[in-house]
Amino acid sequence: MTDRRAFLIVMDSVGIGGAPDAGAYFNDGLPDTGANTLAHIAQARPLIMPHLDALGLGAAIRLASGEAAPGLGARPQGLWGTATEVSRGKDTPSGHWEIAGVPVPWDWHYFPDARPAFPADLAQRIAQAAGTGGILGNEHASGTEIIARLGAEHLRSGWPICYTSADSVLQIAAHEDAFGLDRLYRLCQDVAAMVHPMRVGRVIARPFLGAEGSFARTPNRRDYAIAPPGPTLLDVAQEAGRATHAVGKIGDIFSHRGISALHKGRSDADLAGHLLALADQAEPGSLTFANFVEFDSLYGHRRDVAGYAAALEWFDGVAGALMARLRPGDLAIFTADHGNDPTWHGTDHTRERVPVLGWGCGVREIGQVGFADIAASVAAHLRLPPVGPGRSFL
Protein backbone atom coordinates (compact mmCIF):
# COMPACT_ATOMS: atom_id res chain seq x y z
CA MET A 1 0.00 0.00 0.00
CA THR A 2 1.22 3.49 -0.82
CA ASP A 3 1.59 6.18 1.83
CA ARG A 4 0.14 8.68 -0.62
CA ARG A 5 -3.18 10.25 0.34
CA ALA A 6 -5.77 11.97 -1.86
CA PHE A 7 -8.23 14.76 -1.05
CA LEU A 8 -10.97 15.29 -3.65
CA ILE A 9 -12.98 18.43 -2.89
CA VAL A 10 -16.16 19.38 -4.76
CA MET A 11 -17.20 23.03 -4.57
CA ASP A 12 -20.87 22.42 -5.26
CA SER A 13 -22.11 24.44 -8.28
CA VAL A 14 -18.88 26.44 -8.83
CA GLY A 15 -19.03 26.27 -12.63
CA ILE A 16 -16.87 28.27 -15.04
CA GLY A 17 -19.07 28.44 -18.14
CA GLY A 18 -18.41 27.17 -21.63
CA ALA A 19 -20.24 23.82 -21.67
CA PRO A 20 -20.56 22.96 -25.37
CA ASP A 21 -24.06 21.54 -24.95
CA ALA A 22 -25.44 24.29 -22.67
CA GLY A 23 -28.06 25.15 -25.27
CA ALA A 24 -29.81 21.85 -24.60
CA TYR A 25 -30.43 22.76 -20.94
CA PHE A 26 -32.93 25.34 -19.75
CA ASN A 27 -33.80 27.71 -16.91
CA ASP A 28 -37.22 29.33 -16.96
CA GLY A 29 -37.63 28.20 -20.56
CA LEU A 30 -34.38 29.86 -21.70
CA PRO A 31 -31.17 27.98 -22.60
CA ASP A 32 -28.10 27.92 -20.35
CA THR A 33 -25.88 29.15 -23.18
CA GLY A 34 -23.71 31.90 -21.70
CA ALA A 35 -24.12 30.98 -18.01
CA ASN A 36 -20.84 31.32 -16.12
CA THR A 37 -21.08 31.10 -12.35
CA LEU A 38 -17.61 32.26 -11.34
CA ALA A 39 -16.97 34.80 -14.09
CA HIS A 40 -20.32 36.53 -13.61
CA ILE A 41 -19.91 36.73 -9.84
CA ALA A 42 -16.46 38.23 -10.32
CA GLN A 43 -17.79 40.69 -12.88
CA ALA A 44 -20.37 41.84 -10.34
CA ARG A 45 -17.75 42.10 -7.59
CA PRO A 46 -14.05 41.27 -8.11
CA LEU A 47 -13.09 38.16 -6.16
CA ILE A 48 -10.17 37.85 -3.75
CA MET A 49 -9.20 34.15 -3.85
CA PRO A 50 -5.38 34.08 -3.73
CA HIS A 51 -4.91 30.41 -2.87
CA LEU A 52 -7.09 28.81 -5.55
CA ASP A 53 -6.12 31.47 -8.06
CA ALA A 54 -2.47 30.60 -7.46
CA LEU A 55 -3.27 27.04 -8.50
CA GLY A 56 -4.82 28.36 -11.73
CA LEU A 57 -8.48 29.27 -11.11
CA GLY A 58 -8.49 32.42 -13.24
CA ALA A 59 -6.62 30.64 -16.03
CA ALA A 60 -9.15 27.78 -15.93
CA ILE A 61 -12.05 30.23 -16.34
CA ARG A 62 -10.41 31.77 -19.41
CA LEU A 63 -9.71 28.32 -20.86
CA ALA A 64 -13.27 27.10 -20.29
CA SER A 65 -15.20 30.11 -21.50
CA GLY A 66 -12.89 32.85 -22.75
CA GLU A 67 -14.37 35.21 -20.13
CA ALA A 68 -12.42 37.36 -17.71
CA ALA A 69 -13.00 37.07 -13.98
CA PRO A 70 -11.94 40.33 -12.29
CA GLY A 71 -9.69 39.69 -9.33
CA LEU A 72 -8.56 36.30 -10.70
CA GLY A 73 -5.79 35.63 -13.18
CA ALA A 74 -2.54 34.96 -11.34
CA ARG A 75 0.18 32.97 -13.07
CA PRO A 76 -0.65 29.32 -12.23
CA GLN A 77 1.57 27.59 -9.71
CA GLY A 78 -0.30 24.29 -9.62
CA LEU A 79 -2.06 21.85 -11.91
CA TRP A 80 -4.95 23.48 -13.69
CA GLY A 81 -7.51 22.88 -16.38
CA THR A 82 -11.21 22.45 -16.94
CA ALA A 83 -13.52 19.44 -17.11
CA THR A 84 -16.57 18.75 -19.28
CA GLU A 85 -19.35 16.37 -18.28
CA VAL A 86 -20.73 13.75 -20.67
CA SER A 87 -23.65 12.56 -18.50
CA ARG A 88 -27.01 13.96 -19.53
CA GLY A 89 -27.93 16.22 -16.65
CA LYS A 90 -26.82 19.18 -14.58
CA ASP A 91 -27.51 17.70 -11.18
CA THR A 92 -25.62 16.53 -8.12
CA PRO A 93 -25.65 12.73 -8.69
CA SER A 94 -24.62 12.99 -12.35
CA GLY A 95 -21.70 15.28 -11.59
CA HIS A 96 -20.40 13.42 -8.54
CA TRP A 97 -20.78 9.94 -10.01
CA GLU A 98 -18.89 10.93 -13.15
CA ILE A 99 -16.17 12.62 -11.08
CA ALA A 100 -15.92 9.26 -9.27
CA GLY A 101 -15.58 7.41 -12.59
CA VAL A 102 -19.19 6.43 -13.41
CA PRO A 103 -20.91 8.45 -16.14
CA VAL A 104 -24.69 8.08 -15.97
CA PRO A 105 -25.80 5.56 -18.63
CA TRP A 106 -29.48 6.53 -18.65
CA ASP A 107 -31.73 9.54 -19.07
CA TRP A 108 -33.09 10.82 -15.77
CA HIS A 109 -36.81 11.18 -15.25
CA TYR A 110 -37.94 14.78 -14.79
CA PHE A 111 -41.35 15.85 -13.54
CA PRO A 112 -43.14 18.33 -15.83
CA ASP A 113 -43.31 22.02 -14.96
CA ALA A 114 -47.06 21.86 -14.54
CA ARG A 115 -49.64 21.66 -11.78
CA PRO A 116 -49.89 18.93 -10.73
CA ALA A 117 -46.27 17.93 -11.35
CA PHE A 118 -46.60 14.37 -10.05
CA PRO A 119 -48.80 11.63 -11.53
CA ALA A 120 -52.03 11.15 -9.57
CA ASP A 121 -51.14 7.60 -8.54
CA LEU A 122 -47.75 8.72 -7.19
CA ALA A 123 -49.30 11.59 -5.23
CA GLN A 124 -51.80 9.15 -3.75
CA ARG A 125 -49.06 6.68 -2.77
CA ILE A 126 -47.05 9.46 -1.11
CA ALA A 127 -50.11 10.49 0.93
CA GLN A 128 -50.73 6.87 1.91
CA ALA A 129 -47.11 6.48 3.01
CA ALA A 130 -47.43 9.68 5.05
CA GLY A 131 -50.75 8.58 6.55
CA THR A 132 -52.44 11.78 5.36
CA GLY A 133 -55.41 12.63 3.19
CA GLY A 134 -53.23 14.20 0.52
CA ILE A 135 -50.13 16.25 -0.22
CA LEU A 136 -49.51 19.98 -0.59
CA GLY A 137 -47.61 21.70 -3.38
CA ASN A 138 -47.27 19.13 -6.17
CA GLU A 139 -45.43 21.63 -8.38
CA HIS A 140 -42.08 23.09 -9.40
CA ALA A 141 -41.01 25.51 -6.68
CA SER A 142 -38.20 27.13 -4.73
CA GLY A 143 -37.90 25.40 -1.36
CA THR A 144 -37.84 28.53 0.76
CA GLU A 145 -40.71 30.08 -1.18
CA ILE A 146 -43.01 27.07 -0.98
CA ILE A 147 -42.39 26.63 2.75
CA ALA A 148 -43.24 30.29 3.34
CA ARG A 149 -46.38 29.93 1.21
CA LEU A 150 -47.67 26.56 2.40
CA GLY A 151 -46.09 26.15 5.85
CA ALA A 152 -49.16 27.37 7.74
CA GLU A 153 -51.45 25.09 5.74
CA HIS A 154 -49.06 22.22 6.44
CA LEU A 155 -49.36 22.88 10.18
CA ARG A 156 -53.17 22.99 9.95
CA SER A 157 -53.61 19.91 7.77
CA GLY A 158 -50.58 17.79 8.63
CA TRP A 159 -50.07 17.09 4.91
CA PRO A 160 -46.44 17.03 3.65
CA ILE A 161 -45.29 19.69 1.16
CA CYS A 162 -44.05 17.96 -2.00
CA TYR A 163 -42.30 19.74 -4.85
CA THR A 164 -39.71 19.36 -7.58
CA SER A 165 -37.51 21.42 -9.90
CA ALA A 166 -35.64 21.19 -13.18
CA ASP A 167 -33.52 18.47 -11.56
CA SER A 168 -34.50 14.82 -11.32
CA VAL A 169 -35.70 15.20 -7.76
CA LEU A 170 -38.71 14.95 -5.47
CA GLN A 171 -38.43 17.07 -2.32
CA ILE A 172 -40.60 16.73 0.77
CA ALA A 173 -40.77 19.50 3.36
CA ALA A 174 -42.29 19.08 6.80
CA HIS A 175 -42.14 20.76 10.20
CA GLU A 176 -39.65 19.02 12.47
CA ASP A 177 -41.81 19.32 15.58
CA ALA A 178 -45.36 19.09 14.21
CA PHE A 179 -44.71 16.37 11.61
CA GLY A 180 -41.64 14.79 13.19
CA LEU A 181 -38.12 14.51 11.80
CA ASP A 182 -37.89 10.73 11.99
CA ARG A 183 -41.32 10.45 10.38
CA LEU A 184 -40.14 12.70 7.53
CA TYR A 185 -37.05 10.55 7.03
CA ARG A 186 -39.13 7.36 6.93
CA LEU A 187 -41.51 8.94 4.42
CA CYS A 188 -38.65 10.01 2.14
CA GLN A 189 -37.12 6.54 2.33
CA ASP A 190 -40.46 5.01 1.34
CA VAL A 191 -40.95 7.48 -1.51
CA ALA A 192 -37.40 6.85 -2.75
CA ALA A 193 -38.30 3.19 -3.19
CA MET A 194 -41.27 4.32 -5.32
CA VAL A 195 -39.44 6.73 -7.63
CA HIS A 196 -35.93 5.28 -8.01
CA PRO A 197 -37.23 2.64 -10.45
CA MET A 198 -38.54 5.59 -12.51
CA ARG A 199 -34.93 6.94 -12.66
CA VAL A 200 -35.69 9.87 -10.38
CA GLY A 201 -32.28 10.67 -8.95
CA ARG A 202 -33.08 11.81 -5.42
CA VAL A 203 -35.74 12.21 -2.80
CA ILE A 204 -34.73 14.98 -0.39
CA ALA A 205 -36.05 15.51 3.12
CA ARG A 206 -36.40 19.26 3.76
CA PRO A 207 -37.27 19.79 7.44
CA PHE A 208 -38.13 23.25 8.76
CA LEU A 209 -39.11 24.95 12.00
CA GLY A 210 -40.86 28.13 13.07
CA ALA A 211 -44.31 29.64 12.77
CA GLU A 212 -46.22 31.48 10.05
CA GLY A 213 -44.14 34.39 8.83
CA SER A 214 -40.90 32.97 10.25
CA PHE A 215 -40.47 29.47 8.83
CA ALA A 216 -36.84 28.46 8.28
CA ARG A 217 -35.24 25.29 6.98
CA THR A 218 -33.00 23.43 9.40
CA PRO A 219 -29.63 21.77 8.68
CA ASN A 220 -31.21 18.31 8.97
CA ARG A 221 -31.66 17.81 5.23
CA ARG A 222 -31.17 14.24 4.09
CA ASP A 223 -30.82 12.96 0.51
CA TYR A 224 -32.01 9.54 -0.60
CA ALA A 225 -30.17 9.01 -3.86
CA ILE A 226 -30.41 6.19 -6.34
CA ALA A 227 -27.34 3.95 -6.16
CA PRO A 228 -24.56 4.48 -8.73
CA PRO A 229 -24.84 1.98 -11.60
CA GLY A 230 -21.26 0.75 -11.27
CA PRO A 231 -18.20 0.67 -8.99
CA THR A 232 -17.02 4.18 -8.14
CA LEU A 233 -13.66 5.47 -6.99
CA LEU A 234 -14.90 5.02 -3.41
CA ASP A 235 -15.82 1.37 -4.04
CA VAL A 236 -12.47 0.60 -5.66
CA ALA A 237 -10.52 2.29 -2.88
CA GLN A 238 -12.42 0.47 -0.14
CA GLU A 239 -12.11 -2.86 -1.96
CA ALA A 240 -8.33 -2.29 -2.00
CA GLY A 241 -8.37 -1.91 1.76
CA ARG A 242 -8.06 1.87 1.88
CA ALA A 243 -9.80 4.12 4.37
CA THR A 244 -12.39 6.31 2.64
CA HIS A 245 -13.69 9.45 4.33
CA ALA A 246 -16.91 11.13 3.14
CA VAL A 247 -17.26 14.78 4.18
CA GLY A 248 -20.66 16.47 3.87
CA LYS A 249 -23.33 14.90 1.67
CA ILE A 250 -20.96 12.53 -0.17
CA GLY A 251 -22.42 9.62 1.80
CA ASP A 252 -25.95 10.44 0.66
CA ILE A 253 -24.91 10.97 -2.97
CA PHE A 254 -23.26 7.56 -3.17
CA SER A 255 -25.95 5.71 -1.17
CA HIS A 256 -23.33 5.17 1.56
CA ARG A 257 -21.44 2.73 -0.66
CA GLY A 258 -17.67 2.44 -0.46
CA ILE A 259 -17.40 4.68 2.62
CA SER A 260 -15.44 3.90 5.78
CA ALA A 261 -16.29 7.02 7.80
CA LEU A 262 -18.88 9.79 7.53
CA HIS A 263 -18.10 13.36 8.60
CA LYS A 264 -21.28 15.45 8.69
CA GLY A 265 -21.99 18.96 9.93
CA ARG A 266 -24.64 21.61 10.28
CA SER A 267 -22.81 24.01 7.96
CA ASP A 268 -19.91 24.26 5.54
CA ALA A 269 -17.90 25.75 8.41
CA ASP A 270 -18.36 22.47 10.29
CA LEU A 271 -17.30 20.53 7.19
CA ALA A 272 -14.20 22.70 6.85
CA GLY A 273 -13.24 21.69 10.37
CA HIS A 274 -13.60 18.02 9.44
CA LEU A 275 -11.54 18.47 6.27
CA LEU A 276 -8.69 20.23 8.05
CA ALA A 277 -8.69 17.60 10.80
CA LEU A 278 -8.45 14.86 8.16
CA ALA A 279 -5.44 16.61 6.63
CA ASP A 280 -3.74 15.90 9.95
CA GLN A 281 -5.33 12.55 10.76
CA ALA A 282 -6.31 10.65 7.59
CA GLU A 283 -4.53 7.34 7.19
CA PRO A 284 -1.72 6.61 4.71
CA GLY A 285 -3.20 5.58 1.38
CA SER A 286 -6.61 7.04 2.23
CA LEU A 287 -9.13 8.89 0.09
CA THR A 288 -11.02 11.88 1.49
CA PHE A 289 -13.96 12.96 -0.69
CA ALA A 290 -15.68 16.20 0.37
CA ASN A 291 -18.63 18.25 -0.81
CA PHE A 292 -19.23 21.88 0.20
CA VAL A 293 -22.90 22.48 -0.58
CA GLU A 294 -23.70 25.99 0.60
CA PHE A 295 -22.49 27.71 -2.60
CA ASP A 296 -25.40 25.92 -4.27
CA SER A 297 -28.04 25.63 -1.56
CA LEU A 298 -27.74 29.04 0.10
CA TYR A 299 -26.56 31.30 -2.72
CA GLY A 300 -26.90 29.81 -6.21
CA HIS A 301 -30.54 28.75 -6.06
CA ARG A 302 -31.43 31.95 -4.20
CA ARG A 303 -29.60 34.07 -6.80
CA ASP A 304 -27.57 35.76 -4.06
CA VAL A 305 -24.50 37.12 -5.85
CA ALA A 306 -23.00 38.88 -2.82
CA GLY A 307 -23.50 35.86 -0.58
CA TYR A 308 -21.95 33.55 -3.16
CA ALA A 309 -18.94 35.86 -3.53
CA ALA A 310 -18.38 35.98 0.23
CA ALA A 311 -18.66 32.18 0.46
CA LEU A 312 -16.07 31.75 -2.30
CA GLU A 313 -13.62 34.01 -0.53
CA TRP A 314 -14.18 32.23 2.78
CA PHE A 315 -13.61 28.86 1.13
CA ASP A 316 -10.39 30.09 -0.46
CA GLY A 317 -9.09 30.55 3.08
CA VAL A 318 -10.10 26.96 3.89
CA ALA A 319 -8.26 25.76 0.78
CA GLY A 320 -5.16 27.67 1.82
CA ALA A 321 -5.28 26.16 5.32
CA LEU A 322 -5.72 22.67 3.84
CA MET A 323 -2.76 23.01 1.49
CA ALA A 324 -0.60 24.25 4.37
CA ARG A 325 -1.37 21.04 6.30
CA LEU A 326 -0.87 18.51 3.52
CA ARG A 327 2.17 16.25 3.51
CA PRO A 328 4.72 15.46 0.80
CA GLY A 329 3.15 12.83 -1.46
CA ASP A 330 -0.42 14.04 -0.87
CA LEU A 331 -2.70 15.10 -3.71
CA ALA A 332 -5.53 17.63 -3.44
CA ILE A 333 -7.93 18.28 -6.32
CA PHE A 334 -10.52 21.05 -6.21
CA THR A 335 -13.38 20.81 -8.69
CA ALA A 336 -17.18 21.21 -9.03
CA ASP A 337 -20.17 19.16 -10.16
CA HIS A 338 -22.18 21.69 -12.25
CA GLY A 339 -22.93 25.41 -12.29
CA ASN A 340 -25.52 27.57 -10.55
CA ASP A 341 -25.01 31.06 -11.93
CA PRO A 342 -26.63 33.50 -9.47
CA THR A 343 -26.88 36.15 -12.20
CA TRP A 344 -28.86 33.83 -14.49
CA HIS A 345 -32.60 33.64 -15.12
CA GLY A 346 -34.57 31.06 -13.15
CA THR A 347 -33.41 29.39 -9.95
CA ASP A 348 -32.00 26.09 -11.22
CA HIS A 349 -28.54 24.70 -11.89
CA THR A 350 -26.70 25.76 -15.03
CA ARG A 351 -24.89 23.45 -17.45
CA GLU A 352 -21.22 24.50 -17.31
CA ARG A 353 -17.68 23.24 -17.39
CA VAL A 354 -15.92 23.08 -14.02
CA PRO A 355 -12.43 23.92 -12.78
CA VAL A 356 -9.83 21.23 -12.06
CA LEU A 357 -7.12 22.55 -9.74
CA GLY A 358 -4.43 20.34 -8.26
CA TRP A 359 -1.94 20.65 -5.41
CA GLY A 360 0.94 18.19 -4.99
CA CYS A 361 1.34 17.26 -8.66
CA GLY A 362 3.61 19.98 -10.01
CA VAL A 363 2.90 22.99 -12.21
CA ARG A 364 1.19 22.13 -15.46
CA GLU A 365 -1.78 22.90 -17.66
CA ILE A 366 -3.91 19.82 -18.36
CA GLY A 367 -6.26 21.60 -20.78
CA GLN A 368 -9.76 20.26 -21.38
CA VAL A 369 -10.42 16.93 -19.63
CA GLY A 370 -13.47 14.87 -18.74
CA PHE A 371 -15.08 14.50 -15.35
CA ALA A 372 -14.14 10.79 -15.34
CA ASP A 373 -10.47 11.71 -15.86
CA ILE A 374 -10.50 13.05 -12.29
CA ALA A 375 -11.31 9.58 -10.91
CA ALA A 376 -8.66 7.98 -13.11
CA SER A 377 -6.07 10.48 -11.88
CA VAL A 378 -6.89 10.01 -8.19
CA ALA A 379 -6.78 6.23 -8.66
CA ALA A 380 -3.40 6.48 -10.35
CA HIS A 381 -2.06 8.66 -7.55
CA LEU A 382 -3.24 6.16 -4.93
CA ARG A 383 -1.96 3.24 -7.03
CA LEU A 384 -5.40 1.71 -7.24
CA PRO A 385 -6.81 -0.36 -10.12
CA PRO A 386 -8.22 1.74 -12.98
CA VAL A 387 -11.62 3.33 -12.34
CA GLY A 388 -14.14 4.01 -15.12
CA PRO A 389 -13.54 5.21 -18.67
CA GLY A 390 -11.28 8.17 -17.86
CA ARG A 391 -7.55 8.65 -18.38
CA SER A 392 -5.17 10.01 -15.76
CA PHE A 393 -3.87 13.53 -16.37
CA LEU A 394 -1.08 13.13 -13.81
Side-chain angles (χ1 to χ4, degrees), residues 278-365:
L278 286 165
D280 294 331
Q281 300 165 10
E283 302 86 344
S286 62
L287 168 64
T288 295
F289 197 168
N291 169 280
F292 286 82
V293 71
E294 289 181 355
F295 304 114
D296 186 56
S297 62
L298 296 186
Y299 309 114
H301 286 300
R302 300 182 189 183
R303 297 302 188 246
D304 181 352
V305 176
Y308 207 134
L312 287 165
E313 293 178 342
W314 167 81
F315 181 78
D316 186 75
V318 174
L322 173 68
M323 290 184 278
R325 294 187 185 207
L326 294 179
R327 306 168 186 167
D330 287 346
L331 170 70
I333 292 181
F334 299 89
T335 189
D337 52 344
H338 51 73
N340 198 342
D341 187 341
T343 72
W344 209 241
H345 36 255
T347 59
D348 294 318
H349 295 156
T350 43
R351 178 76 168 185
E352 301 179 41
R353 288 184 167 126
V354 300
V356 181
L357 309 172
W359 181 96
C361 43
V363 180
R364 63 159 83 77
E365 176 186 349

